[in-house]
Amino acid sequence: MVAVEKEVVSGHPPWHMAAFVIAVVAVCIRELPTLESLDEIGNKDIFLNVIFPGYLSPLHVAYIRLTFGGIMIVDSSYHFLFGYWSQDTEYHPKSKLKPVPKVPFRGVYYSKSLFRGSLTLSYFTFWVWVLEGWTFLLTGSIPIAILTFNMELSPWIFRLAIVSWQVVGPATMLVSAVVKYVLWPLTLQNEDPTNANLLNNPVSLIEHNLNFIAAISEVALLGGLPIRYKDLAATLLFGVAYVLFSFAVMFQWTDRKYGPQFIYPFLDPTLGWLSTAFLLALLMVLTFFHVTFCWFDHFLTETLGGGLQAHVAAVGVLILLVCRFRD
């Protein structure tokens, strides 16, 4: 690997960036919903609800959720075990970080390491993809446990499922929209074949599009699981957790002589106050998509009305707006 001639930096975030993260975490923890509030929307009736009972039963909805979840977990497991690709790191012109070409991502089969294999799931896309997979497996298992096996489930299962859903639903819209309107156009503009192949191959297309398709289908066609504006804190904490993870593994991508590396250039901690501004922008984007997804959820479940055809049409329009399938 050939590195740009720059002095190796520590990668530690500036004090104002660290202070901002601490403040955000403190506020979000304070604003997390109470157990009583979660129980209002995370209960047995919510998970047995069906938007169109004339077409689907609660068990049908459960099986569709399990199918979505199964696809996501199988795909994630494949990357964990057999993933094999490379990515160039790129940074702001004023960055003190050293760009490194072809940072390797290798699954367990090639790296012989569980830790290296887990790093194949380090993109925010995969964080959302994996969480959504487990969310659909959980929300799909609940109706089966209740209706087929007559099980009395702990309230904590309902709470975990609804919190997970409220985090992952808006995040799917963020991932698909950013790929369509930001990453894909930049890749085409830069004529970057290495990173272009990471976006337009069949598996990547599934990961960047099925996540939103599954989420919006849940809202408009399946069970209509709710998402509330006031539960934004959990979404922001998920974003902060990803930022902390990125700093925790910044020396794991390549030899330490190249210094810290970040998959996403906006996490660069060497840009002074601009680094904190980028982090603020990231949380504002998360907030925007949480609010937007909540609005769509309310519109599709409370305002739109109409029959199955109207909901299918609305889902189709949203998919065209948010997803991208080709150059």
Side-chain angles (χ1 to χ4, degrees):
M1 295 183 182
V2 179
V4 177
E5 290 300 327
K6 291 184 179 180
E7 180 183 355
V8 175
V9 296
S10 68
H12 295 152
W15 68 267
H16 42 81
M17 190 178 187
F20 178 69
V21 169
I22 292 172
V24 169
V25 171
V27 171
C28 286
I29 290 176
R30 181 177 180 276
E31 295 299 320
L32 285 173
T34 63
L35 296 183
E36 292 77 11
S37 177
L38 284 179
D39 290 340
E40 294 174 2
I41 59 169
N43 54 62
K44 180 175 70 174
D45 293 336
I46 291 293
F47 292 101
L48 295 180
N49 183 59
V50 178
I51 297 177
F52 296 107
Y55 296 90
L56 297 172
S57 70
L59 288 178
H60 290 144
V61 170
Y63 295 139
I64 295 172
R65 289 171 178 165
L66 290 177
T67 300
F68 283 145
I71 292 172
M72 295 168 186
I73 296 304
V74 168
D75 176 79
S76 303
S77 300
Y78 175 82
H79 284 296
F80 172 69
L81 295 172
F82 303 109
Y84 190 98
W85 69 90
S86 301
Q87 177 184 326
D88 302 341
T89 56
E90 301 173 348
Y91 302 108
H92 190 279
K94 295 183 179 180
S95 175
K96 297 178 183 178
L97 300 178
K98 295 183 176 183
V100 175
K102 300 190 182 304
V103 173
F105 289 78
R106 303 291 185 263
V108 173
Y109 178 80
Y110 297 103
S111 65
K112 311 302 179 185
S113 166
L114 291 176
F115 176 73
R116 298 300 304 179
S118 68
L119 290 181
T120 62
L121 305 177
S122 295
Y123 294 91
F124 186 74
T125 295
F126 280 129
W127 272 49
V128 175
W129 186 244
V130 172
L131 179 61
E132 187 178 16
W134 287 114
T135 299
F136 273 116
L137 289 180
L138 182 56
T139 58
S141 299
I142 289 173
I144 294 174
I146 295 172
L147 298 177
T148 303
F149 299 100
N150 297 315
M151 296 176 63
E152 289 291 334
L153 300 179
S154 166
W156 283 102
I157 294 179
F158 300 134
R159 294 163 184 162
L160 176 62
I162 203 64
V163 168
S164 180
W165 164 247
Q166 292 205 100
V167 169
V168 82
T172 65
M173 176 178 276
L174 182 156
V175 168
S176 296
V178 168
V179 168
K180 177 172 183 173
Y181 293 106
V182 180
L183 298 182
W184 205 314
L186 284 176
T187 299
L188 294 176
Q189 178 182 334
N190 297 334
E191 298 181 348
D192 183 351
T194 299
N195 289 338
N197 290 334
L198 296 178
L199 294 177
N200 60 13
N201 66 78
V203 174
S204 182
L205 289 174
I206 292 173
E207 294 160 354
H208 289 126
N209 293 309
L210 181 61
N211 59 351
F212 177 71
I213 293 171
I216 204 65
S217 296
E218 170 60 46
V219 168
L221 302 173
L222 300 179
L225 291 177
I227 293 182
R228 301 185 299 191
Y229 295 104
K230 66 180 182 179
D231 294 336
L232 169 65
T235 298
L236 296 182
L237 285 175
F238 182 70
V240 171
Y242 182 80
V243 171
L244 296 177
F245 164 80
S246 297
F247 277 90
V249 300
M250 62 184 176
F251 286 106
Q252 302 300 325
W253 301 110
T254 186
D255 194 294
R256 292 182 72 93
K257 68 181 180 181
Y258 298 108
Q261 299 294 319
F262 295 88
I263 297 176
Y264 299 107
F266 54 78
L267 294 176
D268 184 345
T270 68
L271 299 173
W273 284 95
L274 190 57
S275 298
T276 304
F278 281 147
L279 184 56
L280 172 61
L282 171 63
L283 297 182
M284 290 177 66
V285 168
L286 279 172
T287 300
F288 170 80
F289 279 100
H290 182 91
V291 171
T292 302
F293 197 89
C294 285
W295 184 87
F296 280 130
D297 179 276
H298 179 79
F299 173 76
L300 291 169
T301 58
E302 304 293 338
T303 306
L304 180 61
L308 177 62
Q309 293 79 5
H311 280 242
V312 170
V315 168
V317 170
L318 289 174
I319 290 173
L320 291 176
L321 285 174
V322 176
C323 299
R324 183 165 182 166
F325 301 93
R326 61 179 183 176
D327 293 340

